[in-house]
Amino acid sequence: MATLKINQKSKAVSSCLALAKQVRHFPSSNMWLDYDEEADVLYISLKRPQRATRTVDLDEKGVLLHLSG
């Protein structure tokens, strides 16, 4: 498990809460969440997860959108 300092934990919790508030606006009634602890990556799939064929970088903070099809 990744070890975070207190300030980093606070920022991580704030970011997760902000994300959780946005989830209700997602255009899907089903969602799959997968967390890769080693890479510290959260995957959110609005359709059954499948291999991505294209990736779009959404911001400088490491938010990527993986698209299939």
Side-chain angles (χ1 to χ4, degrees):
M1 185 165 109
T3 303
L4 298 174
K5 295 179 182 176
I6 298 295
N7 194 24
Q8 289 174 318
K9 284 184 182 179
S10 177
K11 287 180 183 179
V13 169
S14 295
S15 295
C16 288
L17 291 174
L19 174 62
K21 289 178 183 176
Q22 296 301 315
V23 166
R24 66 187 172 123
H25 300 293
F26 284 4
S28 178
S29 60
N30 293 318
M31 185 181 318
W32 290 263
L33 302 174
D34 294 295
Y35 178 68
D36 180 340
E37 188 173 339
E38 185 176 329
D40 191 26
V41 175
L42 175 64
Y43 296 96
I44 302 172
S45 300
L46 301 179
K47 293 185 178 180
R48 290 202 181 272
Q50 46 190 302
R51 194 168 298 276
T53 57
R54 189 168 50 123
T55 300
V56 178
D57 190 352
L58 295 180
D59 69 10
E60 301 80 34
K61 295 181 182 181
V63 176
L64 302 174
L65 178 61
H66 294 289
L67 304 168
S68 59

